[in-house]
């Protein structure tokens, strides 16, 4: 069957098998191999991407379900940011939050959603609970999560600095406006 | 040694440089094995045994061959070379050879145009079996008449250690404690599953690339299985999504499957496992049973230790003899004990073969022995920290194997740092006061007999009355709650300590392969290429080794590039295991860099018009000792090329001698790392859920090359150790894995992870690069017993089995309360 | 549209359970019909007496809904406990009901709130209580081509509402035991008590014995104690599996009930009606 959607701002049309997942579509049909499969069951989060601004585990979504929708992957996250790194990517690098790197793309997508949500709230620091909730769907076996926690907080600082720098320079806003909202319940 | 001179403030050693592979991994550009898709690539699937022990009568692949897109169905008969994984005992067939010995064993391979077709076809391969009797418990397998899995007695390997006279020592001891402990299969749970891609190149060379820790093991295996020269096999490690030991031995099997299929079909073939397949068939931490006994004098001097330790090694030997060796050497704990008797066994059963997992036979026995040390402390009425300090191995002491610690023993300091930094004294005092209050309260409270069946036996459910406002009613359910933890939850806090040591490198069990090579090549523009044989698997080897190379050469860190690991670049450098990479590859780099540096010093002297002895080298470059501008490394390199001098060399290093005789005497390892962990937990007194609040993890690893990466290693190890303590267990339904995915196998999430305080003690090792020892494994060894001891502190029961799930803890506490009640009733009469 | 699809057909919304089952080879081949983007199945509306949740509304939208937060707090608590951010952005109550897991976090509060589930096949509609959708583990009363379209929940004045769950870890957890309780507490007396339990029976169940003990009674220690015994011994019929044991599950039903009453009576206490203070 034919699937037409937008991936990282680019229109994409591909023939896919009816049962193909969004993850397989991205990796093998579109050729974006940054999103990883760690479990195939939505438990590890390594395949996390955004569909219409919301995080999903792409291993559980069918390719057919993104027909006409906007998809963003790790490959498109840095677009429009300094050094082509989203603030949270810069923070992960700075804080040593990467080890084997296989969970990293999924973590970065989820962490970016937290950082962007904070940025929309005037750059306030996220609470520990907010960080945990935002990243609860991502498993990491190397880091023990400590440096990832730190990196998310640091990402918010970098985002705030980037924002004020852009405001000062009158430069265009980075990337497309984000529409992710994070459930603030509980 | 000239390279050991480190100029103040101008060294690459001890700096938290950023990972060179960080950016690629963060942007999705890093290419792992499944990210490669060469033209014409076929995909493999593996047909696996559904039987724990059976003779294969017939394999029928006809239906599978008829599936659209299927290229080949392969069995053991297609293997041109040796169908045995070359390792310690060469017993593990790449494809089952007449008999299957565990559920999940590879029986046949299917290769097809798509992974889906391969999997569909694999399900259609019919295997007819004739069942054989199986054995599923290592203790049963040792009994006479047990079904035979290996050799005459199902014993892959046994060791013994004898020191002094234990019988006499126990007879003379004031206090003797003894208990049995049991630990489960633990899965490495690397997030990237196993995967390999093989192709036969135009010149006939078999090229295999994939996810692995030990390219030279894979090299041996592929050459043996295909029956070709090792010079016609090339193995390259791709970025590897975690290993933790799980990518030490078994990747050889995956690689041989891919190479065999590529060899038969003449096309590239990729095998990437599903998570379920990985759980079913790949290696894990050995389940273990241990009986430990300590004897001590009233003053706390430990006089004797006896250990009986059994590893359930599954259907094939894999690395079990080496795993057992490590467990044996460290079995009595890091203490000065004059009388020791240790007997250990690796036993065959019809279950998935465990292999290497971070800690390598130590976490099991350390959990047992460190839990029992707390029991001993309780019996002696001595603070658990004090008991450990009193008996701790110090410089000049002998280990259980009679090895004298001649240098690099920072254990005493690590204990002191852990005690101070964890706030042990205040927290212990708080606990003691609480326990006194608890005893009084329990004595005062009247326990009403209950008429309510099951609930009467489960005080949690039966009493307490939920409202929690009535202290009288609540006392039995959770006397001694430290705090109300929100939502009316009653919790008890506890604190626990554990200590361990860790022999760095392969030790006497692996001494013949404990060597490593390196190639260092300075380019004309002053950039540097370094090739080694040990892999980056997330632990940060790339950074540390580049730092060592930069330091040795006086080159900028940024100028050094570590090549992907490729078996054609350096000779067999042994495995990337046992915390040996910094030590072994680091020393090989130093060996290679030494002549280059001498050359560069001479060149610099020439340019600077000083004697070579008057040239100083640091991170800023080469300068005259008398002062003046430094020559950049780039300039010196360029000058060397201008003078046609060689600035590329091959380095080599071998480990210092080790030994271990039939009575367990000898210098088992070249040097030891020392660790102390303090855990603080909160146990919910109604649900018996344990939350680890904080862990203080202190390690003597010699000189720390990269503190940031080292901290990351410790933090990861602590959380893996916490998982081992509280929730991780591969459950087998007799023979088959029952919870083989991330839904059923419970890994800690961020919300479960505690605050972790990491501290390093640096007792330099003279034979290590810049004084470094090794770090990777020791962080996982101590946390589980520290957590178990903290739980004991909180609720007063000693766990004898991991993981300490709420269900098991509840049973233990309920049991204790039942006993108490019975005791009280008897007294009432 | 459904009629145009030949052969076996299956509806899919978030896919968080169905895709897993398909990968495990647990589903017969069928043509999947994606209902996730059908406008009529999405969104939350409010009438004077009820709240209507479209069956394909992702959990995240339910959590964020002001009206659900105000009227159905236990449902919000439960939805927030499901999976992860990613799963909550995909998964739906319709899917949770149809999947018929005894541990379904989303279903437990629906049962406690007496939710009614609207099922449609072509133009034909029927309305089934949430508690009756599942007929066994993984088995539902849904017939061929029947689609859950919406969930209706009555707005009733009840000042106690709780959802509590025990899982094997702090997040991303399948329940070992879960409990939802809604009731009205006035002058120390409970009325309109509904208790639902997850993961302690072949389907999500009502704890009728415990309800009967609490209903119309003053919330005293004795009443609570009796209700705890009843829920553990008479209502729960758990099994031992690799996730937990029957004994623990039973005991925890009592703990969670006690906790649900305690938390809420504390809340009520602030407004001066707590008889326990």
């Amino acid at each position: 069957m034919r699937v037409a959607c937008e991936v990282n701002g680019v229109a994409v049309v591909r023939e896919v098998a009816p049962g193909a997942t969004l993850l397989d579509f991205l990796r093998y049909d579109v050729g974006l191999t940054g999103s990883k499969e760690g479990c195939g069951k939505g438990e590890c989060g390594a395949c996390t991407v955004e569909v219409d601004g919301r995080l999903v585990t792409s291993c559980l979504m069918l390719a057919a379900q993104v027909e006409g929708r906007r998809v963003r992957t790790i490959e498109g996250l840095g677009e429009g940011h300094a050094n082509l790194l989203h603030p949270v990517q810069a923070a992960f690098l700075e804080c040593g939050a990467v080890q084997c790197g296989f969970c990293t793309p999924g973590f970065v997508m989820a962490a970016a959603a937290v950082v962007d949500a904070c940025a929309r709230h005037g750059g306030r620091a996220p609470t520990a609970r907010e960080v945990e909730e935002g990243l609860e769907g991502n498993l990491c076996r190397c880091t023990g999560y400590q440096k990832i926690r730190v990196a998310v907080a640091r990402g918010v600082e970098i985002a705030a600095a980037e924002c004020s720098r852009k405001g000062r320079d009158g430069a265009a806003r980075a990337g497309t406006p984000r529409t992710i909202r994070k459930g603030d319940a509980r | 040694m000239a390279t050991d001179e480190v100029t103040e403030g101008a060294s690459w050693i001890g700096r938290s440089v950023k990972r060179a592979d960080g950016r690629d991994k963060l942007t999705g550009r890093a290419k792992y094995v499944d990210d490669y898709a060469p033209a014409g690539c076929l995909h493999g699937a593996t047909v696996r045994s559904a039987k724990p022990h059976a003779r294969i009568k017939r394999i029928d692949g006809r239906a599978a061959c008829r599936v659209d897109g299927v290229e080949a169905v392969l069995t053991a008969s297609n293997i041109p070379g040796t169908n045995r994984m070359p390792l310690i005992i060469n017993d593990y067939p790449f494809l089952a050879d007449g008999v299957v010995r565990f559920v999940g064993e590879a029986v046949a391979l299917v290769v097809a145009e798509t992974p889906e077709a391969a999997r569909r076809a694999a399900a259609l391969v019919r295997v007819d079996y004739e069942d054989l009797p199986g054995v599923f418990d290592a203790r049963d397998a040792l009994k006479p008449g047990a079904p035979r899995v290996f050799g005459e007695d199902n014993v892959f390997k046994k060791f013994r250690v004898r020191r002094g006279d234990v019988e006499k020592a126990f007879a003379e001891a004031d206090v003797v404690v003894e208990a049995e402990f049991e630990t489960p299969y633990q899965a490495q749970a690397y997030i990237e599953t196993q995967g390999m891609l093989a192709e036969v190149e135009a010149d006939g060379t078999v090229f295999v690339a994939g996810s692995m820790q030990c390219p030279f093991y894979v090299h041996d295996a592929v050459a043996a299985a295909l029956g070709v020269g090792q010079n016609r096999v090339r193995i390259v490690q791709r970025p590897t999504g975690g290993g933790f030991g799980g990518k030490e031995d078994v990747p050889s099997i995956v690689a041989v499957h891919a190479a065999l299929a590529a060899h038969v079909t003449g096309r590239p073939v990729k095998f990437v496992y599903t998570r379920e397949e990985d759980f079913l068939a790949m290696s894990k931490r050995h389940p273990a049973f241990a009986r430990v006994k300590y004897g001590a004098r009233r003053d706390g001097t430990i006089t004797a230790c006896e250990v009986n330790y059994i590893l359930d090694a599954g259907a094939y030997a894999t690395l079990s003899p080496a795993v057992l060796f490590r467990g044996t050497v460290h079995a009595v704990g890091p203490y000065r004990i004059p009388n020791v008797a240790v007997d250990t066994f690796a036993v065959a059963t019809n279950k998935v073969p465990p292999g290497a997992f971070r800690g390598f036979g130590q976490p099991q026995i350390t959990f047992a022995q460190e839990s029992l040390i707390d029991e001993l402390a309780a019996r002696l009425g001595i603070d658990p920290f004090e008991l450990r300090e009193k008996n701790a191995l110090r410089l000049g002491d002998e280990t259980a194997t009679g090895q004298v610690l001649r240098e690099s023993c920072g254990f005493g300091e690590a204990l002191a740092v852990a005690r101070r930094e964890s706030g042990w004294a205040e927290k212990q005092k708080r606990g003691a006061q609480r326990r006194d209050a608890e005893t009084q309260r329990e004595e005062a409270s009247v326990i009403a007999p209950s008429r309510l069946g099951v609930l009467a036996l489960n005080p949690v459910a039966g009493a307490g009355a939920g409202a929690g406002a009535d202290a009288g009613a609540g006392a039995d359910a959770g006397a001694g709650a430290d705090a109300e933890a929100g939502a009316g939850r009653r919790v008890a806090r506890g604190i626990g300590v554990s200590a361990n040591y860790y022999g760095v490198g392969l030790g006497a069990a692996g001494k013949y392969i404990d060597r490593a090579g390196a190639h260092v090549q300075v380019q004309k523009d002053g950039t540097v290429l370094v090739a080694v044989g040990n892999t980056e698997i997330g632990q940060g080897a790339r950074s540390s080794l580049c730092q060592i190379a930069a330091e040795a050469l006086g080159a900028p860190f940024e100028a050094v590039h570590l090549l992907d690991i490729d078996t054609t670049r350096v000779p067999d450098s042994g495995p990337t295991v046992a915390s040996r990479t910094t030590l072994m590859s680091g020393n090989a780099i130093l060996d290679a860099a030494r002549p280059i540096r001498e050359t560069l010093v001479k060149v610099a002297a020439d340019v600077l018009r000083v004697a070579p002895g008057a040239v100083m080298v640091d991170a800023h470059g080469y300068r005259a000792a008398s002062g003046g501008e430094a020559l950049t490394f780039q300039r010196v390199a360029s000058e060397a090329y201008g003078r046609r001098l060689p600035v590329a060399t091959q380095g080599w290093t071998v480990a210092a001698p080790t030994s271990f005789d039939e009575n367990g005497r000898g210098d088992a390892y070249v040097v030891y790392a020392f660790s102390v962990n303090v855990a603080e937990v909160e146990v919910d007194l109604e649900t018996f859920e344990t939350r680890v609040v904080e862990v203080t993890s202190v390690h003597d690893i010699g000189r720390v090359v990269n503190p940031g990466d080292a901290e990351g290693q410790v933090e990861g190890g602590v959380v893996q150790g916490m998982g081992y303590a509280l929730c991780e267990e591969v459950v087998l339904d007799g023979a088959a894995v029952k919870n083989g995915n991330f839904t059923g196998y419970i890994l800690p999430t961020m919300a479960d992870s505690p605050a972790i305080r990491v501290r390093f003690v640096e007792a330099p090792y003279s034979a290590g690069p810049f004084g470094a020892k090794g770090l990777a494994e020791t962080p996982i060894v101590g946390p589980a017993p520290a957590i178990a001891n903290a739980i004991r502190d909180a609720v007063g029961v000693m766990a004898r089995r991991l993981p300490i799930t709420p269900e098991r803890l509840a049973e233990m506490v309920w049991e204790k309360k039942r006993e108490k009640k019975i005791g009280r009733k008897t007294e009432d009469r | 549209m459904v009629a145009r699809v030949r052969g076996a057909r299956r509806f899919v919304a978030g896919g968080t359970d169905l895709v897993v089952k398909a990968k495990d080879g647990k589903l017969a081949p069928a043509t999947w019909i994606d209902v996730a983007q059908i406008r009529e199945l999405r969104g939350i509306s409010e009438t004077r007496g009820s709240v209507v949740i479209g069956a394909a509304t992702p959990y995240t939208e339910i959590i964020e809904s002001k009206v659900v937060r105000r009227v159905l707090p236990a449902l919000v608590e439960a939805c927030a406990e499901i999976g992860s951010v990613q799963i909550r952005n995909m998964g739906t109550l319709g899917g949770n009901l149809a999947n018929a897991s005894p541990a379904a976090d989303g279903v437990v509060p629906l049962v406690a709130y007496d939710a009614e589930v609207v099922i449609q096949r072509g133009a034909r509609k029927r309305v089934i209580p949430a508690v009756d959708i599942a007929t066994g583990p993984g088995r539902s009363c849904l017939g061929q081509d029947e689609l859950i379209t919406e969930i209706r929940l009555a707005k009733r004045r009840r000042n106690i509402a709780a959802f509590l769950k025990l899982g094997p870890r702090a997040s991303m957890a399948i329940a070992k035991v879960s409990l939802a309780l809604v009731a009205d507490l006035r002058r120390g007396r409970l009325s309109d008590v509904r208790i639902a339990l997850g993961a302690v029976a072949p389907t999500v169940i009502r704890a009728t014995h415990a309800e009967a003990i609490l209903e119309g009674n003053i919330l005293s220690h004795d009443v609570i104690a009796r209700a705890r015994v009843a829920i553990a011994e008479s209502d729960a019929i758990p099994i031992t599996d690799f996730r937990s044991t029957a004994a623990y599950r039973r005991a925890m039903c009592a703990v969670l009930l006690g906790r649900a009453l305690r938390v809420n009576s504390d809340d009520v206490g602030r407004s001066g009606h707590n008889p326990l203070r």
Side-chain angles (χ1 to χ4, degrees), chain A residues 40-130:
Chain A
K41 302 285 168 67
E43 290 280 341
C44 77
C47 65
T48 300
V49 301
E50 265 176 27
V51 174
D52 288 343
R54 296 263 196 188
L55 297 175
V56 301
T57 43
S58 61
C59 73
L60 291 187
M61 188 172 247
L62 298 175
Q65 292 183 298
V66 298
E67 173 69 30
R69 303 172 77 182
R70 283 178 300 119
V71 181
R72 188 153 74 147
T73 71
I74 186 72
E75 287 89 348
L77 190 67
E79 201 66 40
H81 291 284
N83 211 7
L84 286 177
L85 291 179
H86 182 281
V88 90
Q89 289 171 308
F92 267 59
L93 192 59
E94 182 184 315
C95 300
V98 180
Q99 288 192 29
C100 87
F102 201 77
C103 72
T104 305
F107 260 102
V108 167
M109 292 303 290
V114 176
V115 168
D116 292 349
C118 288
R120 280 195 306 277
H121 289 86
R124 70 164 175 85
T127 64
R129 185 96 182 104
E130 284 168 334

Side-chain angles (χ1 to χ4, degrees), chain C residues 13 87 91 94 100 105 116 135 145 148 160 176 178 180 183 197 217 248:
Chain C
I87 300 297
D105 289 336
E116 293 188 320
T135 55
D145 290 341
I148 298 173
I160 285 190
K176 292 172 177 178
S178 56
L197 291 171
N217 271 317
Y248 182 79

